[in-house]
Amino acid sequence: ANEKGEGSDALSPLPAGVSLVRPGRIRLDGFIQCVDHKVGKYIFAAERPVTGEEAKDAATEFELEREPDEEAGNEGESVVRCFPFSGRTHQIRVHLLHLGFPIANDSCYGGDLRDDPSLP
């Protein structure tokens, strides 16, 4: 597979804007654009949008720290280390949603709300 995740070796293609930095670390490059100022909602685009609010470049690298583990009680949840290279509003939240791994309990950006008294 090449660095974009394409080729016969790839388990699945990487989402738009994603490249492999090294095994265990990916980089997401693209643009973050506000789509609703009233609620502060942002979206990701791999290519610069030509319409709407001005899009700002944003890049984050991610490393997987811990995979989901049913026996440890964190089924369906992973821990990732985030390395933002730009400081855009909601950048990590938007990037993780684009990757298909929204932050747990972050219902604004795709995370499922949990009934867990240990959470703030």
Side-chain angles (χ1 to χ4, degrees):
N2 65 24
E3 67 179 25
K4 297 281 186 192
E6 301 163 340
S8 60
D9 298 354
L11 296 175
S12 62
L14 295 173
V18 176
S19 59
L20 184 63
V21 175
R22 62 176 182 262
R25 187 165 179 151
I26 60 169
R27 181 180 177 101
L28 179 57
D29 286 293
F31 300 89
I32 290 184
Q33 182 179 35
C34 183
V35 292
D36 189 335
H37 282 285
K38 189 173 184 177
V39 297
K41 184 71 174 181
Y42 292 77
I43 60 169
F44 172 82
E47 303 293 326
R48 183 180 293 280
V50 293
T51 61
E53 182 81 17
E54 179 186 353
K56 297 182 179 180
D57 62 311
T60 309
E61 291 185 4
F62 298 95
E63 288 181 355
L64 181 62
E65 290 291 314
R66 188 182 72 220
E67 294 189 50
D69 183 353
E70 187 175 338
E71 291 177 19
N74 65 355
E75 181 179 352
E77 296 176 1
S78 301
V79 175
V80 295
R81 187 175 300 243
C82 307
F83 303 90
F85 286 83
S86 46
R88 306 297 180 209
T89 303
H90 301 248
Q91 174 176 327
I92 293 171
R93 298 167 78 188
V94 172
H95 280 176
L96 285 170
L97 175 62
H98 175 72
L99 293 171
F101 301 100
I103 297 171
N105 240 26
D106 184 1
S107 61
C108 284
Y109 286 92
D112 292 330
L113 289 177
R114 297 186 315 167
D115 184 19
D116 185 341
S118 68
L119 294 174

